[in-house]
Amino acid sequence: MNQNLFLDFIAKNTRFFPLSLLMSIRKEKLILPFYHTISNSELVHIKHLYRVKNVKQFEYDLEYLLKFYNPIALEDFKRDSFIKTKKSFLLTFDDGLSEIYHTIAPILIKKGIPATFFLNSNFIDNKDLFFRYKASILINKIEKIEVNLQRHLIEKHNFKSSKSLKDNILNVDYFQKDKLDSLALSVEVDFDFYLKNTKPYLDSNQIKSLQKQNFTFGAHSVDHPEYQFLPLASQIEQTENSLNFLKSKFDLNYSLFSFPFTDYGVSKSFFNQIAKNIDFTFGCAGFKNESIQTHFQRIAMEKDAYSAEEILKYEHIYYFIKMFLGKNEMKRRL
């Protein structure tokens, strides 16, 4: 099934699918919506990766969520009896971007909505930049370069000649990320300058200020690799190193972790080995049943320009289809 086409169908026919009815059929009380950032301005490091919702769209999403669910904080989430008796949502954000401090937190405080923010330890204080954000910055630059020079760059940097330079850049993975630094030198893009002047990430003082406003934090790996391609030892190292850094620097008395990209392909062995060190972990597979009791799947709220109403109705209906097909449970290898 083409999920994008199905989501588009649901979006065009939302009036036929009352959320209250879908909720009563599914019966689960808790949902976990998540975002990365919210901005009214163009973010060059993201613009070629996915669409960022603006403030108006975000506030509309929140108002819709509040019609059907109660916002809860981490302390409420820890109480199993609480989340089983009230229709609730735990709001989270990945990547630790600076709009959290400048834009998102003020909106959440005004509306009385708690949230948890997940951070990559290498990116705090704008020390380094996620390789996918580097890709977006490079694409923004190479779009202004003539085609002949782009072809030369494809050859110079050993990219696939059958693909455009933009597609080649988007296909660079975590293990090839040095290619992006090499290409940046060729097209005179300075990532350090971008970090210094744009400051895409939260700094330590902003994080501490948000803590004082009762927001909570968790780890999101050291530098955002895709876990399914890492050996188990590296998965554990990325997880524990990022978490230990945060706990030490920001005096956290709880341990949370959200997977960068997805938790697809992560084995039971991983969860068994980190169990003593982490309270809860989070994926992003939408509504799906989990065999790991302390692991929770979240709902991505940045699916193009779709609203919270459209996304939640889609997630419910898609879950029923997966259940009918026997695909509503996460399968994990040992």
Side-chain angles (χ1 to χ4, degrees):
M1 178 185 296
N2 188 308
Q3 294 183 36
N4 291 332
L5 288 176
F6 185 55
L7 176 53
D8 192 49
F9 170 78
I10 297 299
K12 291 175 180 175
N13 296 277
T14 53
R15 66 187 184 279
F16 297 117
F17 307 105
L19 184 61
S20 55
L21 174 62
L22 298 173
M23 291 166 61
S24 67
I25 297 172
R26 184 167 173 266
K27 296 182 180 179
E28 291 291 333
K29 303 290 185 182
L30 175 70
I31 65 168
L32 295 97
F34 86 98
Y35 298 80
H36 291 86
T37 194
I38 303 297
S39 179
N40 285 337
S41 303
E42 180 180 86
L43 304 175
V44 174
H45 52 285
I46 295 177
K47 67 177 287 191
H48 297 285
L49 305 177
Y50 59 87
R51 184 175 297 186
V52 172
K53 287 188 173 181
N54 60 37
V55 168
K56 184 177 180 180
Q57 291 169 322
F58 181 53
E59 290 184 329
Y60 178 87
D61 280 3
L62 295 178
E63 290 303 317
Y64 188 79
L65 285 166
L66 290 169
K67 287 180 182 178
F68 298 93
Y69 299 94
N70 300 296
I72 60 172
L74 178 61
E75 285 304 312
D76 301 317
F77 179 74
K78 289 179 179 179
R79 292 156 52 198
D80 192 55
S81 59
F82 183 94
I83 63 174
K84 285 185 176 179
T85 56
K86 290 188 176 183
K87 295 183 178 70
S88 307
F89 73 93
L90 177 70
L91 185 63
T92 63
F93 293 78
D94 285 354
D95 288 7
L97 294 163
S98 60
E99 291 79 29
I100 289 169
Y101 182 80
H102 299 293
T103 304
I104 296 165
I107 294 171
L108 298 180
I109 291 168
K110 181 177 67 176
K111 293 183 180 293
I113 300 175
T116 296
F117 306 115
F118 291 102
L119 313 172
N120 300 97
S121 52
N122 269 15
F123 304 153
I124 297 168
D125 293 317
N126 294 285
K127 298 189 301 289
D128 200 357
L129 190 61
F130 176 29
F131 76 94
R132 293 287 289 165
Y133 291 169
K134 289 182 177 181
S136 183
I137 295 167
L138 285 169
I139 291 169
N140 205 61
K141 179 64 180 282
I142 64 102
E143 284 186 334
K144 304 177 180 70
I145 295 175
E146 62 181 26
V147 174
N148 287 339
L149 179 53
Q150 289 192 34
R151 289 174 183 156
H152 169 72
L153 291 169
I154 288 172
E155 183 178 346
K156 178 180 178 181
H157 294 278
N158 296 315
F159 286 125
K160 292 183 178 179
S161 59
S162 59
K163 295 181 179 292
S164 68
L165 184 54
K166 177 180 178 179
D167 287 341
N168 272 295
I169 292 170
L170 286 174
N171 286 333
V172 169
D173 63 28
Y174 177 80
F175 300 102
Q176 303 169 316
K177 58 187 179 180
D178 287 349
K179 273 192 168 186
L180 300 177
D181 296 322
S182 177
L183 178 60
L185 290 174
S186 295
V187 297
E188 298 181 342
V189 168
D190 188 336
F191 293 131
D192 289 335
F193 180 84
Y194 188 90
L195 283 164
K196 181 179 178 181
N197 286 272
T198 305
K199 294 182 171 59
Y201 295 107
L202 291 168
D203 65 37
S204 296
N205 289 332
Q206 290 169 339
I207 294 167
K208 291 174 182 177
S209 175
L210 290 165
Q211 282 182 293
K212 291 176 182 177
Q213 297 173 82
N214 297 317
F215 291 107
T216 48
F217 291 85
H220 194 46
S221 79
V222 173
D223 59 355
H224 214 297
E226 195 163 357
Y227 269 46
Q228 65 172 314
F229 300 122
L230 296 179
L232 179 59
S234 297
Q235 292 177 353
I236 293 170
E237 183 180 22
Q238 280 271 343
T239 305
E240 293 186 343
N241 285 358
S242 61
L243 187 57
N244 290 339
F245 176 86
L246 292 183
K247 292 183 75 172
S248 174
K249 188 171 183 65
F250 301 108
D251 196 28
L252 304 182
N253 61 2
Y254 52 85
S255 302
L256 309 174
F257 178 79
S258 77
F259 285 89
F261 291 106
T262 73
D263 61 338
Y264 179 79
V266 177
S267 68
K268 290 182 180 178
S269 296
F270 170 85
F271 291 99
N272 291 337
Q273 291 193 42
I274 65 164
K276 293 181 180 179
N277 301 321
I278 294 185
D279 297 321
F280 301 108
T281 56
F282 300 86
C284 56
F287 290 152
K288 215 158 192 186
N289 297 341
E290 263 295 342
S291 58
I292 311 297
Q293 290 188 344
T294 56
H295 184 59
F296 296 83
Q297 295 295 346
R298 301 174 297 164
I299 303 167
M301 303 299 289
E302 294 160 326
K303 294 172 178 167
D304 290 325
Y306 295 108
S307 67
E309 177 182 7
E310 294 161 343
I311 291 170
L312 289 180
K313 289 180 178 181
Y314 159 79
E315 286 289 343
H316 277 86
I317 296 169
Y318 191 50
Y319 175 81
F320 300 145
I321 294 172
K322 289 185 289 188
M323 184 170 60
F324 177 76
L325 298 173
K327 296 183 177 181
N328 61 321
E329 295 187 7
M330 293 295 292
K331 309 291 185 184
R332 298 199 185 277
R333 69 185 191 279
L334 294 177

